[in-house]
Structures are given as C-alpha cells and as structure tokens.
Amino acid sequence: MGRKTTHKFKAEVSQLLEILVHSLYTNKEIFLRELISNASDALEKVRFKAQSDSGEPEIAPEIRITADEDAKTLTITDTGIGMTRDELMRNIGTIAHSGTAELARLAEEGKESLDSLIGRFGVGFYSVYMVADEVTVTTRSIEPDAKAIAWTSDGRTDYKLQELDEDRPHGTEITVFLKEDMASQFTNEAHLKHVVNTHSNFINFPIFVGEDRVNTIQALWREPKFQIKPEQYAEFYKFLTFDSEDPFDTLHTTVDAPVQFNALMFIPNEGGDPFGMGRENRGLDLYVRRVLIEKQNKDLLPEYLAFVKGVVDTEDLPLNISRETLQDNILMRKISSTLVKQVLNHLDKMAKDNADRYAEFWNAHGELFKAGYMDFLNKDKFGNLVRFNSSASEDDKGLSSFAEYITRAKEEQKEIYYAYGPSREALGLSPHLEVFRKKGIEVLYLYEPIDEFVMDSLRDFDGYTLVSAEHADVSKLDQFESLEKEDKPEALSDDQQSTLDKLLVRIKDVLGDGVTEVKASTRLSDSPVCLANPDGNVTSSMDKIMRVMSKDSSIPQKVLEINPDHALVRNMLTIFKKDENDSFIDQAANQLFESALLLEGYLTDPHALVGRVQDLLTKSSGWYVDSNK
C-alpha cells in the first residue's frame, strides 16, 4: 500500500459540509442523482477520448449500484475516465465557485431549500453527506501508468488520500457508509431502483442496481426521427403518462437556435378535467443532458396547452440549476416561446391537412385550448385554431373556423357575427337572430361562457370585425336582401304612429324601473319584443357572466324593444286607441316583459307569469268557443 496523507478541507468546504449535515433536507435521495450524473460525465469523457483515438472504449461503459444491508453501505461504481491524485484533490477538496458565505446566509434565513443551494453552487458530490457517516472514493485515471487513489472522509474537517498498489480498471468507486437512520432506506434495492427511475432513467449508459438493469427505456427524444417507429413512440408515451391508449398525436423536434434542445411531446386522445383535479397534473418533464431536473415543469407551456405531455432536454442549462433560478432564466423563456410556436404550428398544419382529424382534437381539448385567448403574443395563430358551432352547420356537432365563416359571408359583409346561448335550439328561437335568419346571414353559436371572452379578446380576424348579433348595426344588415318575400302588414299611418308613441310611454309606466327604456325595434320580425343592454357594449350573456362572478343575483335593467309589425302589438294599438286605461295593456306589457326575461334566463320567480298565462288562456278560450259556434 502507498503512503496515506491527511489534508484539511478548505474553510468554505467545511462550512458547506456543516450546513449539509445539519440541514433539515427533505429530499435526501437527490444525492444518488448527483453521483450518477458525475459517473455519466466520466463515461462520456471516455467515449469522447475513444472517438478521438479512432477506437472503442476498452471496458464496457456502465454504472453499477450495489448495497450491503449488513455492512450498511451503498457503492456506486463506474468505468469512466477516473481521476489522478491532483484531480481528486482539485475536484473534491475545493469548490470551484465557492460563494459559501452567501450559501450559509441563505441556509440560515431558510429562504431556499437545500436542493436549490446544491444546484446553485455546483456542489452535488457533497450532498452524499446528508446520508453518510463516511465516504470512500477509490479511483484510477485512464492516463497511462496512473496509480489507483483512495480518498476517505467523514465529511467534517479533513480527508485522507492514499495511493494503492492494486491493479484495477480505470473508473471510480464510491462507497457510502450510511447513517443509522438512512441504512434501511438506501440498502433497499426496490427503493434504489425507484430513485434511479425517477431521476436518472434516461442516462445514456446502463445503470445496474444489483444484477438488474434499471434504465431500460430509451431516451427517444435524442434519437433521429426517421429511425423511430410509431410503436416506439406509443411505448414511450405509455411509460411517461400511464395512459393505456396510444397517443392521439406525436410532435418530435430538435432545435439548435435560439436555444439548443430536444423535445418529444404527445397529445392524448382524451382531455382531462381542465378546471378540476387535473390542473396540477400538467407540464413537461425538464431534463438537462438526460438528467431529470424537474418533473412536470409548469413554465414551459402555458396552461391552455396543458393537454400536451412530454419531455424537453436541453444542453444549455446548468445540470443543477435551482427551481428559483429556472423561473427567471432567460433560456427557459426562449425554450417556452419556441415550444408554444411549434405546438400551434403543428395544430395549424393538422387543421389544414385534415379537418376531420382536427375536429377530433378540438372535441377532446378545445374547451381547455380556448383559454389561450389571453396569449396575446400568439393572437393570430390562436384565432386560426379556435372553432365554433354555426347557424350554417347541420347540427351542434359541426365546427366552423373564422376563415371558413369568411368564405360563406355575403359580399360587402365585413363582420363575423356571433351569439351566445345555452343550446342550438335556444339560439334558433332567439329574437336577436331573427333578422339574420331572415336575410341568411351566418351566426357563430357560442355555448360556453369562455367563448365570450375569446370574442372579446380577439375583436377581429383577417380584416373582419367580431360583432355580437345583439349589437349588430341594423343599417348594415338592411343592405342585404331577405331570402323570402316578407309578409309585412301595412305601414303604420301617422295616427297609428302617434298612438304607438303613447303606447310605448304607457308600457314604460307599467314596467317602471324594470326597464330603462321602451322603444320600437327594427330588428324583429317574428317576435313581439326583445331585451337589449342599455349601453350597447356589453352583451347580455357577458353581463350575466360578470354578475355570476360578482354574486349579483338581481335582475338588471334592460331596454325593451317592441316590434310594431307584430299582430299582438297591432291589437294592443287598437285596444289602447279605444281605451288608454284598458287593463289588458297592463297585463300584456307585464306578460311580454316577463316572457323576454324568461328567454334571457333572468326570471327567477315565474308565478305571476304562469297566473297571467292561465287567465289569458281562459279568456281567449271563451272567445275561441264563441267564434266556432
């Protein structure tokens, strides 16, 4: 055996080890990730050296993890490049970027978890002392005539170095003498396999725990796309997500600029619950050179693309970057921006190439995707991809894009009209849409509250203004011919017009503060009345959404529009002309108003309406019996 020498740790190392040993570090298993990463780096160096020498490594590259329950030891062995005596002292005896005064201050203040500190100051090896009473590193460099060296320390103040006479292959063996309370956990092979699977599953070299190879799934994202079969993608997707079905779609990409990274992303067949429990179960797994840095990172893709599952692996981030630094990292923002564009471009191509397939995607994930109305940087791409049902569709399954709507728009029409309602049937009966039905002008149907926010945010598409049918400019609609000849009654005479003006005043008096105004309508044809918002900006449906959000259950004041050409209104004119105080006017005004409230979804107490209907039916049935005698 060679001579044994004792060396003091530099002051900052001692300080660091003190922090590590006495910390309340929760995720102690991270030390194994650090040691495996170091072993992987050592193996990469051997491979690079062999390639430079135009040959293959003499010893099979591998990492072996063995545990001895009786001795309470854990050993990590690699066939990597190894270290000379000087390299060992340089790599383990000092910290390249100390910053330990800052380290100690942060640890004392408790502002960061220790895994962040380890990552920030590049001291992964020392994390082993969270679980170790003592560590021995035995290593032999690949350099010719290099001696084997043993490094031993209890992680307190000093370490011992000894040259060994034994002939051993190049590489490094780290023997961890486990603390009493750590021994059962880290000598358990099942637990060790779980830790390797979690953090180091895609390391590019075989990792054995005992006799079993653990990392059997290939890091597909690193492989050339043309070599990968669909069943390999499907296998990887199932491994990643635990889904029993194959993915709906796969997006495999390699980017060199502005940041170098590989990404393998999948779109599942089924959408999760976007506003329920699945909200936290989102994000792409972030790797740095095949080592897992963060499971389900929430910053790489915005929430409206949360249906995308997969991995991102970059060369450009430091291996042990802290979570706090991740969130502020400019490279992360560049990766995120690139990923979002790639996903949106991929969906756009799918929509153009195969509308039926895109419809499948939309039915599964459209509800969540619509939350992208807040992504102002990608407004145009988002506008291309949203879909709605339409009055031009045959049923509520039909989907239309804004671009498709434009191809069907009338000449001179520069608006895309839309209307919100609980169902296709309800919108088919909406008084606000009568003029559109009459003139054959298409209206997009909105069924979900979020659809209103989409329209409100986008405002226009390809030179066409998005306009609520409720707020349509009637003068613009008048330029279009009706599809059928209208069977309108004779226009009101001057005398009838004067009576109508008085009738509108009377109806306003009857309804009082229930309405802000009663006026003649130019948009109605089949309905006697409709309600409109007084400000003309907020739609009735958006007003309802805002009231729900503010827990306001009161009935809002509306404008009541009266259709002067409707038979009921003409009869009311005749009755009013004969007797301005006829009780039927009061009865009809209240009935029409409450019927309109019912259609709008505001009427909470229908008792008066039902009683009035029964009274009117009784009277009208008497007239009907008499007229048929």
Side-chain angles (χ1 to χ4, degrees), residues 234-517:
E235 179 195 15
F236 184 85
Y237 167 76
K238 290 171 183 175
F239 164 80
L240 185 73
T241 62
F242 306 106
D243 194 343
S244 59
E245 293 185 39
D246 289 356
F248 174 76
D249 207 3
T250 302
L251 177 53
H252 187 177
T253 181
T254 300
V255 176
D256 294 319
V259 188
Q260 186 181 3
F261 68 88
N262 296 289
L264 180 53
M265 297 178 285
F266 301 96
I267 300 174
N269 279 291
E270 299 294 330
D273 175 10
F275 305 109
M277 296 302 290
R279 210 164 179 182
E280 282 308 304
N281 184 30
R282 71 175 185 88
L284 303 177
D285 294 347
L286 176 63
Y287 288 78
V288 173
R289 298 187 289 284
R290 300 175 190 266
V291 177
L292 180 66
I293 298 303
E294 188 177 4
K295 192 83 176 161
Q296 294 186 320
N297 177 282
K298 305 291 189 289
D299 300 317
L300 286 165
L301 286 178
E303 199 164 332
Y304 76 96
L305 297 179
F307 53 82
V308 178
K309 311 293 182 186
V311 301
V312 175
D313 188 359
T314 178
E315 303 288 326
D316 293 339
L317 288 167
L319 185 61
N320 291 316
I321 187 167
S322 73
R323 283 193 178 87
E324 287 78 1
T325 312
L326 264 183
Q327 290 169 349
D328 298 326
N329 192 287
I330 191 165
L331 292 175
M332 283 288 288
R333 290 198 288 274
K334 287 180 178 176
I335 293 172
S336 172
S337 172
T338 305
L339 285 172
V340 172
K341 285 187 173 68
Q342 288 191 331
V343 172
L344 295 179
N345 288 341
H346 183 77
L347 292 173
D348 193 49
K349 186 176 186 306
M350 186 198 301
K352 286 173 180 169
D353 293 350
N354 191 333
D356 290 341
R357 182 161 170 75
Y358 186 76
E360 285 182 56
F361 159 78
W362 186 261
N363 289 329
H365 304 291
E367 185 179 351
L368 178 58
F369 184 83
K370 282 185 283 194
Y373 71 85
M374 291 183 287
D375 185 356
F376 300 110
L377 290 175
N378 293 292
K379 176 186 168 186
D380 292 341
K381 284 188 173 72
F382 174 80
N384 268 321
L385 290 168
V386 287
R387 299 290 185 269
F388 300 96
N389 193 223
S390 161
S391 60
S393 306
E394 292 183 6
D395 54 34
D396 58 6
K397 299 287 189 292
L399 295 173
S400 176
S401 66
F402 291 134
E404 288 166 335
Y405 179 105
I406 289 171
T407 64
R408 297 187 292 264
K410 293 189 177 290
E411 207 172 332
E412 305 300 322
Q413 181 185 339
K414 297 302 290 180
E415 293 79 24
I416 296 174
Y417 293 105
Y418 65 88
Y420 176 86
S423 66
R424 186 176 176 84
E425 291 72 21
L427 285 164
L429 296 170
S430 170
H432 294 293
L433 303 190
E434 285 179 1
V435 64
F436 295 91
R437 290 192 287 269
K438 187 170 64 178
K439 294 180 179 287
I441 299 171
E442 183 176 355
V443 178
L444 295 178
Y445 286 170
L446 281 51
Y447 302 131
E448 303 293 336
I450 194 171
D451 297 345
E452 286 265 38
F453 291 98
V454 170
M455 298 301 193
D456 208 41
S457 177
L458 290 178
R459 296 185 180 275
D460 58 69
F461 179 86
D462 197 18
Y464 283 69
T465 309
L466 301 177
V467 178
S468 167
E470 184 181 338
H471 294 151
D473 184 341
V474 178
S475 64
K476 288 185 178 179
L477 300 177
D478 283 344
Q479 65 180 310
F480 304 117
E481 292 290 323
S482 296
L483 295 182
E484 299 173 3
K485 190 174 184 328
E486 294 183 67
D487 189 17
K488 272 190 170 186
E490 285 184 23
L492 293 174
S493 64
D494 291 344
D495 186 43
Q496 285 176 312
Q497 184 62 55
S498 174
T499 305
L500 176 64
D501 294 340
K502 293 176 184 173
L503 175 62
L504 297 179
V505 172
R506 172 66 192 283
I507 293 173
K508 174 68 178 81
D509 288 342
V510 172
L511 299 179
D513 292 337
V515 293
T516 58
E517 183 185 359

Side-chain angles (χ1 to χ4, degrees), residues 129-147:
Y129 284 104
M130 295 182 297
V131 299
D133 278 331
E134 186 174 276
V135 178
T136 296
V137 179
T138 306
T139 184
R140 179 174 169 268
S141 171
I142 199 171
E143 295 299 323
D145 304 322
K147 293 271 190 184

Side-chain angles (χ1 to χ4, degrees), residues 9-24:
F9 280 122
K10 292 208 171 180
E12 66 267 21
V13 180
S14 295
Q15 192 178 9
L16 168 68
L17 292 172
E18 184 72 15
I19 294 167
L20 285 168
V21 171
H22 293 100
S23 71
L24 295 174

Side-chain angles (χ1 to χ4, degrees), residues 15 52 69 92 226 381 413 472 564:
Q15 192 178 9
S52 301
E69 195 172 352
I92 302 184
F226 65 86
K381 284 188 173 72
Q413 181 185 339

Side-chain angles (χ1 to χ4, degrees), residues 218 220 222-233 252:
Q218 198 176 359
L220 277 190
R222 290 264 182 164
E223 303 301 318
K225 281 187 275 191
F226 65 86
Q227 293 181 4
I228 304 173
K229 297 175 182 175
E231 50 267 31
Q232 288 177 280
Y233 282 131
H252 187 177

